[in-house]
Amino acid sequence: MAIESEVLVVGGGLAGLTATLAAARAGADARLLSYKQSTLRNASGLVDILGYTPEGDGPLVDPYDAIADLPDEHPYRTVGVPTVREAMALFDDAVPWYRGGHTDRNALLPTHGGSVKPTARYPEGASAGLASDDRDVLLVGFESLVDFDAPQAAAHLRAAGVPFDARGVTIRFPGDLRADATVTRYAKLLDTDGEVTVRGQARPVRDALAERVNTQLHGEERVGFPAVLGDDDAPGIRAALGDRLGAEVFEVPMGPPSLPGLRLEDRLFAALDAAGASIETGNPVVDYDGDGRVERVYVERNGARIPNAADQYVLATGGLVGKGVESDREGVSEPVFGCHVPHPDDRYDWFETDAFGDHPFARFGVSTDDDLRPTRADGGTEFDNLRAAGSVLGGYDFAAEKSGSGVSIATGYAAGRAAAEEVR
Amino acid sequence: MASAPHVVIIGGGSTGAGIARDLSMRGLDVTLLEQGNLTHGTTGRMHGLLHSGGRYAVSDQKSAAECIEENRVLRRIASHCVEMTGGLFVKRPEDSEEYFEEKLRGCEACGIPAEVVSGSEARAMEPHLAEDIDKAISVPDGAVDPFRLVVANAASASEHGARIETHSTVTDLLVDGDEVVGVEVDHASGAGRHVHGVEGGTEEIRADYVVNATGAWAGRIGEMAGVDVEVRPSKGVMTIMNTRQVDTVINRCRPKGDADIVVPHETTAILGTTDEEVEDPEDYPEEEWEVDLVIDTLSELVPMLADARTIRSFWGVRPLYEPPDVGSTDPTDITRDYFLLDHEERDDLRGMTSIVGGKFTTYRMMGEEISDHVCDQFGVDADCRTAEVPLPGSEDFSVLRDYMDEFGLRSPVGRRSVERLGSRADEVLKTTDPNPVVCTCEGVTRAEVQDAIEGSGSNLNAVRIRTRASMGNCQGGFCCHRLASELHGEYDEATTRAAWNELLEERWKGQRHALWGEQLSQAMLNYALHATTQNRDHDPAERDGPPVDFGAFDDGATPTDDPPTRDAVADGGRDGD
Ligand SMILES: Cc1cc2nc3c(=O)[nH]c(=O)nc-3n(C[C@H](O)[C@H](O)[C@H](O)COP(=O)(O)OP(=O)(O)OC[C@H]3O[C@@H](n4cnc5c(N)ncnc54)[C@H](O)[C@@H]3O)c2cc1C
Ligand SMILES: Cc1cc2nc3c(=O)[nH]c(=O)nc-3n(C[C@H](O)[C@H](O)[C@H](O)COP(=O)(O)OP(=O)(O)OC[C@H]3O[C@@H](n4cnc5c(N)ncnc54)[C@H](O)[C@@H]3O)c2cc1C
């Protein structure tokens, strides 16, 4: 006997989580199957809607305004602006400590390389870092943390023309963390306010850190740190440091492993739990039965193939990064259901010669009908009861446009809601 | 002698660097000029095989004998650049038995230690060899790091007083009547270390003698003085795998052919190669069929290569030379030997000799021969010592492993740093500052990167080839910006950013030939890290057009109530539970 549900979502990244949440909140019996940690582990944790047009115009002040001019095959065009707005409202409700929902305007945030980027939602912990705020900034880096060089980032921000003065200092993190300590190691120490030894004396790490920064602070009202300020108690850490520094504290998002991304993933799983969805993680969906309609899928667990059946399915296995889209020397494919992925025949037509060229591979993914159902090469739908959401969709370059999380949330919402409507 | 003759060497590949070391050790006054980084030419784009001579044991026994001799020398003087992997000539059932026997006899004739091993013995050594191979000949092939070796030669030359100029292009030869008397040089960024954005300039350098060691470019230097040097450049592809599928050099035992060798190199295995004559050593097609050919053909020896992940491909151009009267039509027929062309004897042009052809493995021998020739011109009587005196970094290599703990480096990071640095490990790694890993794939630490920057200025590609940073699986996705950060401080932000951009583009270039499967996923991840997380594709600091109107964007206003941060503290969140 197969495990049964009404809506079955394959893939637990931002798209799959949103789809399951939308389906569950619409009253469906929803189940999520996910294999590994999602792309959020790699992503900054910022939620972009649209920062640049496909032609490269931007940064866009209002992302919604520009959606109408996107090409037809763009997922935002498939779902439409009102759905994008509803999806963002669901996100804002599920993750109340994200900011940016008070306005349609994009925000500009400093990056760990010192550039600024447009985004639509940002964690509360990043909010004091907004580049349109004109208060002066001190950036603080740690000697051993090679991903964030504060003096360089500050100089880069100045070159970008930000409306405030930015200064950067590098300090030694108090205590004796190894030179190759991971970001989670810093976070844990700060979470627990563990003791560190400074000049022979044991001190709580938050005090010791604030003390080191205080000697470097010259009246700046905002202080930015690399995004290592805690996992469980991030707000407490920022507040404690802020009090001792007399300044607002923010985090600058960084590369993998990204704590803000992981925090967001945790929160969404919690919201899903609260909404009563069933969740199974750690095992891949490897096969399915059905022709024109998906009957059941098979999860591989310890070598056994366990059937899972549902009325409606959502494919949210991610793109090239999440492994929802695969390739070999001969071509590009979607491995779970074998959905068609349009691509040029010759693999030398998959990329451009410049590192930041208009790469076709960045737009690889399934194409869909108006209802987000994947389509075959001949234009017909692959399966009546399968919808796709998130990075597994083709037709947009999230990296260039800065639209990754927004597309995942909008299409996840639309697919989850549509699936729930079918079972009612 | 009142003052030593001044010799200008053009070309900073293995040949030029070897000559510079030799002549400066003999007391001559040496200037080396290289248009790019050291190893910018063929030397930086070769297969990394330290030949035992086995490959030439049938077709070219003179080269084979030179190879085994120099193979032994390099193991002695450059132990930190060489990994003695051993090599196998593998015979498949369809390969000729007769040739196998010829190969064996050839090795004997040239003094190359060679031994026949059975198919099962060979598979015991290399478990991924195909099931159906017949047998193999084992020879002392090795892997050699061209970057480290050339840098060590240049460092030794410098220690002996040579002037080494990189990013300095020879634009003309100064000819006075029938004699070359110097060169005209265009410095990209002023003399000394290369720094981005620093204005360069031209310089006339007078010389008592000029050595043209420009490899595939030798014909162009010849033209500047109106002499013909008939170099026939021939390209070859090399495809880099993400891991070492083999730990021994694997050769196919059959007469010359494409795609017949796998060389384990550091953390990777490199497949090669092809042999196609090209017109222009700097501008030639890099083709898909070449990559497919090496993968498909070498899978006959090592089947798992068919589906393994490749991280990039690169091409090099052989500076083959053939005396004008031979006229081979197929480039694989052109000899691999080297030639010393004295333009006085040949063209009645005094003051210059060109050295062309040859192999990386025999660079030192080539250097010795031309140095003898140069010394003869001036009646200098000095012995060559390059075969005896170890290169910087290779002294006392055996005791280095003990340093690992002392440097507080974790294995395997420590082991690899120490192996790369050789006896210089002590000097480079002994720092009281924290020494985090900057490039995780290759285990390169800050101290090594800083040492490389000290040696090569703000050019991150030069730092890369010295340290291997950004050359592993992720191809710089995670560390390009970290390397740029290491420049900052000594160099300003604009210089740092220019170097960063240059490295990003360079890393992208070779990956384009590996874009499928895992590496395409990696490329997408890298693209997202640089474009999405960091917005480097639309960096406002590099914007043409009007500046960003920061005032138009969300400034956080309309904060509704006191943010929950403060509440969390009031709740006692500080304790974290
Ligand atoms: C480096 C990087 C930085 C980014 N930065 C930003 C940013 O700053 N702002 C922004 O808005 N967006 C950003 N993005 C984009 C954004 O993170 C992604 O677009 C979004 O997270 C994709 O979500 P997804 O759910 O579609 O796919 P994924 O997050 O990739 O999730 C797919 C999930 O499906 C699972 N899965 C795959 N195959 C199977 C299977 N067979 N069975 C079961 N489960 C399976 C995977 O394990 C994974 O958990 C970034 C992306 C990257 C890579
Ligand atoms: C595909 C391939 C694989 C190979 N594999 C091996 C191998 O495994 N083992 C082995 O032993 N050999 C191998 N070789 C051969 C070996 O790489 C070359 O013989 C050797 O590197 C040649 O070195 P070089 O110094 O003579 O030339 P180069 O390295 O090309 O040096 C010439 C230098 O001159 C510089 N130059 C040119 N013009 C000017 C100018 N006007 N002003 C200033 N500088 C200038 C160039 O920038 C260049 O750096 C291989 C060759 C190829 C092509």
Side-chain angles (χ1 to χ4, degrees), chain B residues 252-322:
Chain B
R252 180 82 176 254
C253 189
R254 64 179 178 192
K256 69 175 189 197
D258 281 346
D260 62 355
I261 174 165
V262 186
V263 181
H265 185 71
E266 299 271 336
T267 53
T268 67
I270 308 182
L271 318 186
T273 176
T274 46
D275 201 342
E276 284 259 311
E277 202 155 340
V278 296
E279 290 288 315
D280 183 337
E282 276 172 281
D283 185 19
Y284 50 86
E286 300 178 343
E287 290 164 284
E288 182 175 3
W289 69 262
E290 299 178 83
V291 176
D292 287 336
L293 179 78
V294 289
I295 295 175
D296 295 340
T297 310
L298 284 162
S299 309
E300 295 171 12
L301 292 184
V302 184
M304 76 183 298
L305 292 175
D307 300 312
R309 170 174 174 186
T310 97
I311 57 179
R312 60 196 286 126
S313 287
F314 63 101
W315 277 256
V317 208
R318 299 176 187 83
L320 301 183
Y321 176 82
E322 182 170 86

Side-chain angles (χ1 to χ4, degrees), chain A residues 11 13-15 35-36 39 44 46 48 117 285 391 405 408, chain B residues 532-533:
Chain A
L14 203 41
Y35 184 23
K36 294 183 177 162
T39 300
S44 64
L46 301 180
D48 309 344
K117 71 164 279 189
V285 172
S391 285
S405 300
S408 289
Chain B
T532 314
T533 310

Side-chain angles (χ1 to χ4, degrees), chain A residues 58 102 106 116-117 122 132 143 147 152 156 178 206 233 239 244 320 327 329 346 348 355 397 399 402, chain B residues 288 292 296 410 446 481-482 485 505 513 517 521 527 531-532 535 537 539 543 550 554 558 569 573-574:
Chain A
H102 61 276
N106 271 326
V116 299
K117 71 164 279 189
Y122 39 93
S132 300
E143 251 179 4
D147 260 328
Q152 183 197 6
H156 194 163
R178 293 195 67 108
R206 297 178 190 179
D233 187 29
R244 290 166 179 71
L320 286 167
S327 62
R329 276 190 280 158
D346 185 341
Y348 278 65
D397 175 345
K402 325 302 161 191
Chain B
E288 182 175 3
D292 287 336
D296 295 340
R410 277 190 208 179
R446 172 175 288 161
H481 75 283
R482 299 176 183 164
S485 297
E505 290 296 339
H513 301 288
S521 296
Y527 177 41
T532 314
N535 201 18
D537 59 331
D539 194 331
R543 202 175 146 86
F550 285 88
D554 175 13
T558 61
V569 184
R574 257 194 52 164

